[in-house]
Amino acid sequence: MFIKMGENLMTYEKAMEKVMIENGGFAPLKLIYENIEKYRKNTGKTPDRTIQERAQRCFTRIAKGIYCTEEFAMQLEQDNKGYLEISSKNNVVFKPIKITQETERIGSQKIRIGHSTFRDKLINDLKQCPITHIDDTKLLIASHIKPWVLSNNEERLDVNNGFLLSPLFDKLFDKSVGLITFTDKKEILLSKRLKNNINKIGVIHRQIIEDLPVVGREEFLEYHRKYIFQG
């Protein structure tokens, strides 16, 4: 055990933050479980469950079971310095983005310039939310399938890495929630975590979304099902 003098009184949140900072600003839950006792003793009957609950409440979830500090999330979202790559064994590596003329231009004007281009492409191609059929662009959100913070520059601007969704379904699909996803057969999958609200969102589990654009998006959807969806 590596607890230093006085640090046995450190809160779970502070100890978890230290593990994340030690790992570069982010960490999978497994890494937190394995390293938190450097900073405080695990207490209670189910310490891993306590850690998971604290992570969900106090930190930014960037993929299934992976959380980061607020500073790291801001670095990814605002500074366009890099992206996270998840291996088949769920190892996570932060990779700096290769600087090109285009990424340098986008970076110098903040990444929302790139996001605006991405949204315009989606509106031009898709026109509406495939679930609600809302077509008022003021009510449509450009939703990345593989999240922005997990994507490299090419993926961030790839129109096949996105859907136009109305606000409710964008929120349910988002990386921080992950309560819906889609299959290559155009089925919508609903997470059991929706609980009492599962019957209130206007669709049912495995309902076919006829207008869902799937062709060209299969690889991104597979990623979403594997790393984002909270089944």
Side-chain angles (χ1 to χ4, degrees):
M1 190 170 299
F2 303 97
I3 297 174
K4 300 176 184 178
M5 185 67 68
E7 287 192 320
N8 56 321
L9 299 178
M10 187 180 290
T11 64
Y12 267 109
E13 290 86 351
K14 191 64 179 175
M16 292 165 65
E17 184 179 42
K18 278 188 167 289
V19 174
M20 292 178 192
I21 292 171
E22 188 179 73
N23 190 56
F26 65 95
L29 284 172
K30 182 180 178 183
L31 187 68
I32 298 173
Y33 299 152
E34 292 172 348
N35 289 275
I36 197 168
E37 290 203 23
K38 292 180 182 179
Y39 304 107
R40 66 153 292 145
K41 287 184 178 180
N42 281 337
T43 56
K45 293 182 180 179
T46 56
D48 285 357
R49 181 63 182 170
T50 299
I51 290 169
Q52 183 178 359
E53 289 172 350
R54 295 289 201 286
Q56 292 171 345
R57 188 166 68 246
C58 303
F59 297 96
T60 300
R61 186 174 81 88
I62 48 180
K64 188 180 293 184
I66 303 171
Y67 295 84
C68 73
T69 64
E70 182 179 356
E71 291 77 11
F72 185 80
M74 289 176 64
Q75 173 186 330
L76 288 173
E77 292 284 1
Q78 295 179 6
D79 297 338
N80 199 28
K81 290 181 179 178
Y83 64 101
L84 296 181
E85 183 175 275
I86 306 175
S87 75
S88 58
K89 295 182 179 179
N90 283 343
N91 295 320
V92 188
V93 178
F94 177 71
K95 289 194 170 185
I97 283 183
K98 182 179 180 181
I99 299 299
T100 64
Q101 243 184 349
E102 180 64 14
T103 58
E104 194 169 23
R105 184 188 70 79
I106 292 172
S108 68
Q109 299 177 55
K110 297 301 179 184
I111 62 173
R112 290 307 170 196
I113 296 279
H115 191 273
S116 176
T117 300
F118 173 76
R119 184 175 188 275
D120 289 344
K121 288 180 181 178
L122 281 174
I123 290 172
N124 183 63
D125 285 0
L126 305 184
K127 307 293 193 294
Q128 64 177 3
C129 170
I131 305 169
T132 63
H133 299 110
I134 288 173
D135 59 5
D136 185 336
T137 57
K138 296 189 294 295
L139 301 176
L140 295 174
I141 298 172
S143 301
H144 278 84
I145 302 171
K146 182 178 181 182
W148 182 283
V149 298
L150 297 168
S151 298
N152 60 34
N153 272 324
E154 183 178 353
E155 293 168 332
R156 287 174 176 179
L157 301 182
D158 185 348
V159 72
N160 286 325
N161 187 22
F163 293 123
L164 278 178
L165 297 175
S166 53
L168 171 62
F169 290 100
D170 169 72
K171 182 65 175 178
L172 294 171
F173 191 68
D174 185 74
K175 68 182 186 306
S176 64
V177 179
L179 295 181
I180 65 170
T181 194
F182 303 98
T183 72
D184 294 348
K185 297 180 179 179
K186 301 190 177 185
E187 300 168 306
I188 186 169
L189 305 183
L190 308 182
S191 170
K192 293 176 182 177
R193 299 188 183 198
L194 279 165
K195 297 180 180 178
N196 295 335
N197 291 304
I198 202 165
N199 296 320
K200 301 176 183 178
I201 63 173
V203 292
I204 60 174
H205 186 61
R206 292 199 175 275
Q207 178 177 327
I208 301 295
I209 308 300
E210 295 287 355
D211 293 325
L212 187 75
V214 167
V215 176
R217 292 173 167 81
E218 294 89 346
E219 187 174 340
F220 291 119
L221 283 170
E222 181 182 4
Y223 188 100
H224 192 276
R225 291 192 298 270
K226 185 173 183 180
Y227 294 116
I228 308 301
F229 182 56
Q230 299 287 302

